[in-house]
Amino acid sequence: MISQIVSAVGVVIAGVFACALYYWLSDKLLQIVFPVPKENVRAASINLNRRAVVRPWLFMGPALILLGVYLVYPVVATFILSFYDRGGVNFVGLANYRWAIFDGQFRQSIFNNILWLAVVPAACTFFGLVIAVLTDRIWWGNIAKSLVFMPMAISFVGASVIWKFVYEYRGNETQIGLLNAIVQSFGGDPQVWISMPFWNNFFLMVILIWIQTGFAMVILSAALRGIPEETIEAAVIDGANGWQIFWKIMVPQIWGTIAVVWTTITILVLKVFDIVLTMTNGQWSTMVLANLMFDWMFRGGGDSGRSAVIALVIMAAVTPIMIWNIRQANKEMGGH
């Protein structure tokens, strides 16, 4: 454990110094290639302009290369792979795409992803906004925010293990699952919650909502504090009640931030994998696209062609939302 910590710290320190050394050497190289002679003002001006043009590309060079190797190349390779058979050897044309259209499990995964998209971003944003508003009005609001934000520090797998104990079912034995214990205390019968088709999807969604509400709360709380006090005071003077101030004054002024939070969580939902894998492994009609891709790629001998098609579907769903999100965030930053 100690050796791993020391190694991690060493890598971080070495990485920082390596980056600093690269930038220093790059700048020295620019000074050598484009000198600034004092005796020739025109040449000095031209070389300074050249330095200004080349320097950003030189500094961003390693990042661009890494993006090309680890982002652009895999996308192109995946697209090509989607036209080949399970072993990636024989060209099969659109056969993998036809399989995706008519496969029942693929359609089930699409339906489940749509279900997650309809519930999780809306719930996280709503609860985050409500908590942000309410905690700003109480003296222990910062403590409450810390507690709500705390699940963000837990991995998806760790959170799933925690919620497995909440949904735990022990048959005729004493129930240790919190939810079944509550049901029994009211005279009900314990249930195997995560194996109930359709409804088990919502039980899994609760985990992601529990994790991401803190993120939404922090971003929206910062946006709420940016609302000018004058507008709130003017609304109060005009006789607006708390509900009207919230919906007609606060929400419209932070609508851009709400949209960014919503779309950010939407992108996360489209890539959800860990929770489903840990809780149900895609059984009982809980399969989502990321888990289906994993299954086709690594289980049952693997099928790289079909898994590539699923990966492209996920990318096609995520990319437009991500582009819109970036533009919206840039617009928000430009506005300030």
Side-chain angles (χ1 to χ4, degrees), residues 235 239-246:
N241 55 39
W243 187 257
Q244 292 171 326
I245 291 174
F246 176 72

Side-chain angles (χ1 to χ4, degrees), residues 185-207:
S185 67
F186 285 98
D189 296 324
Q191 303 289 331
V192 187
W193 303 104
I194 61 173
S195 67
M196 299 171 62
F198 183 72
W199 298 109
N200 51 9
N201 286 290
F202 293 97
F203 293 128
L204 300 186
M205 292 176 203
V206 168
I207 303 172

Side-chain angles (χ1 to χ4, degrees), residues 316-330:
V318 169
T319 302
I321 303 172
M322 187 167 59
I323 292 172
W324 184 90
N325 203 1
I326 294 171
R327 288 182 176 178
Q328 191 68 24
N330 289 336

Side-chain angles (χ1 to χ4, degrees), residues 30 34-36 41-56:
L30 283 175
F34 301 113
V36 181
V41 177
R42 179 178 172 77
S45 176
I46 293 173
N47 283 346
L48 283 173
N49 290 332
R50 288 173 177 172
R51 285 186 190 180
V53 172
V54 174
R55 184 178 287 111

